[in-house]
């Protein structure tokens, strides 16, 4: 089975609330585990009416406690929002509770607007340009480096650290530190190929990873028919337009023939943001996923499927899991 993973924002659907989102996330993780997904990651966002995964490490604990074998992690923790020591302790706690199952993906974006970032940090003196130093400090806590205070729990634990990015910066850092790299191509694909090339060309082996490993975000909206899949995808399309228009909201109900109702500017926006996507029935989705893997050489895909109806969302991931056995790609794993 080609390695597929799940990226979840624990979406709050229109007409629902965060409590139901958490129950849905656990349901998706449990089904994903049974379907053979490799890992289940949650993303840190703040102040977003349609995203419930703000307290990322808390939610990771909830998901890990309700599953048995699937890796559970952050995709990612926005490190400028936090003290590296606090993250080392949080993920040291998670790894102690669920040994061998926790991943830690790190990003340098705020995961929010400036006003929310100020509320998170109390001030903005935490500089995103210090991200490389913060990553080094965090890894040092896991290694039990005597130059730093001791992270308890955390010191001496083997927790895979990933670098996340949507630009060339993350690719350069992941390569220099010898860490696996996850690119946010599911919503920011513009520099994807250049970032992958830089990462692979400049990668330096480390104690964690001997050779480059690339995981790419990819949107899948799969259903029994192409028409139904396009209908389901309209929720995510509306959400992206709302977000870019400064009107973030809960995940909207789907709309029939939505793309025929938007203007040229919105259409172009969606074509750009969602260029790394597969929408359709199983055969169509399989072809698009294989083409994407062939073009990028991705070692793993992390799928996101922002669908309003939970049962339809589960079915989309189930179809993608069935497709995985047909996909051809590299077999290395970190």
């Amino acid at each position: 089975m080609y390695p597929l993973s799940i990226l979840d924002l624990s979406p709050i659907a229109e007409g629902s609330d965060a409590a139901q989102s958490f129950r849905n996330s656990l349901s998706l993780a449990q089904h994903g585990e049974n379907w053979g997904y490799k890992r289940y990651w949650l993303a840190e966002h703040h102040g977003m009416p349609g995203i419930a995964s703000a307290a990322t490490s808390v939610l990771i604990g909830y998901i890990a406690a309700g599953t048995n074998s699937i890796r559970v992690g952050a995709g990612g923790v926005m490190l400028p929002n936090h003290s590296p020591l606090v993250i080392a302790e949080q993920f040291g706690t998670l790894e102690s509770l669920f040994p061998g199952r926790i991943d830690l993906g790190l990003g340098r974006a705020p995961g929010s607007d400036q006003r929310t970032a100020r509320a998170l940090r109390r001030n903005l003196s935490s500089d995103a340009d210090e991200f490389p130093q913060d990553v080094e400090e965090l890894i040092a806590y896991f290694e039990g480096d005597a130059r730093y205070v001791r992270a308890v729990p955390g010191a001496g634990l083997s927790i895979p650290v990933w670098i996340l990015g949507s630009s060339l910066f993350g690719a350069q850092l992941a390569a220099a530190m010898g860490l696996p790299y996850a690119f946010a191509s599911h919503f920011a694909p513009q520099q994807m190929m250049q970032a992958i090339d830089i990462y692979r060309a400049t990668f330096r082996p480390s104690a964690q990873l001997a050779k480059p490993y690339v995981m790419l975000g990819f949107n899948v909206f799969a259903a029994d028919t192409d028409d139904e899949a396009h209908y389901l995808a309209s929720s995510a399309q509306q959400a992206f337009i709302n977000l870019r228009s400064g009107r973030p909201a809960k995940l909207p109900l789907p709309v029939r023939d939505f793309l025929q109702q938007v203007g040229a500017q919105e259409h172009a926006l969606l074509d750009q943001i969602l260029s790394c996507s597969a929408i359709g029935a199983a055969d169509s989705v399989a072809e698009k996923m294989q083409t994407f893997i062939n073009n990028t050489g991705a070692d793993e895909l992390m799928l996101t499927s922002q669908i309003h109806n939970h049962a339809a969302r589960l079915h989309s991931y189930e179809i993608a899991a069935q497709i995985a056995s047909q996909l051809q790609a590299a077999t290395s794993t970190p």
Side-chain angles (χ1 to χ4, degrees), residues 111-256:
S112 61
D113 57 33
Q114 287 295 303
R115 184 180 178 188
T116 306
R118 185 171 284 105
L120 279 167
R121 307 177 202 171
R122 294 299 179 188
N123 59 65
L124 293 180
S125 61
S126 178
D127 188 353
D129 291 337
E130 297 175 358
F131 179 65
Q133 291 76 25
D134 288 344
V135 174
E136 289 181 354
E137 181 180 339
L138 176 53
I139 292 174
Y141 288 130
F142 293 142
E143 293 174 345
D145 193 319
R147 293 174 298 170
Y148 297 90
V149 299
R150 190 168 181 84
V152 181
L157 296 180
S158 179
I159 303 170
V161 173
W162 294 65
I163 299 297
L164 280 59
S166 58
S167 68
L168 306 185
F169 179 89
Q172 293 164 341
L173 179 62
M177 299 187 74
L179 298 176
Y181 181 52
F183 190 86
S185 36
H186 59 292
F187 74 91
Q190 293 86 346
Q191 293 184 296
M192 177 184 68
M193 293 306 299
Q194 189 178 359
I196 293 171
D197 289 344
I198 288 173
Y199 171 68
R200 288 178 174 146
T202 61
F203 181 85
R204 293 160 53 184
S206 70
Q208 178 174 330
L209 194 64
K211 60 181 180 179
Y213 191 90
V214 174
M215 178 162 60
L216 300 178
F218 192 76
N219 299 286
V220 169
F221 304 94
D224 292 334
T225 68
D226 287 348
D227 286 345
E228 182 67 11
H230 283 280
Y231 169 65
L232 296 174
S234 67
S235 292
Q237 292 163 345
Q238 293 175 75
F240 274 117
I241 290 174
N242 290 341
L243 180 62
R244 292 301 177 94
S245 303
R247 299 178 283 106
K250 292 185 176 183
L251 187 65
L253 287 160
V255 174
R256 293 284 179 191

Side-chain angles (χ1 to χ4, degrees), residues 1 4 6 26-40 70 314 317 321:
M1 178 176 176
L4 297 181
I6 295 171
L26 179 58
S27 170
L28 174 58
Q30 291 169 335
H31 281 85
E33 182 174 79
N34 291 333
W35 293 328
Y37 281 91
K38 185 172 184 177
R39 61 186 101 239
Y40 182 97
I70 193 169
L314 289 178
Y317 278 107

Side-chain angles (χ1 to χ4, degrees), residues 90-111:
Q90 289 178 359
F91 280 79
T93 299
L94 290 166
E95 176 64 21
S96 298
L97 288 168
F98 311 103
R101 294 183 55 206
I102 301 301
D103 292 332
L104 175 53
L106 301 172
R108 67 170 184 149

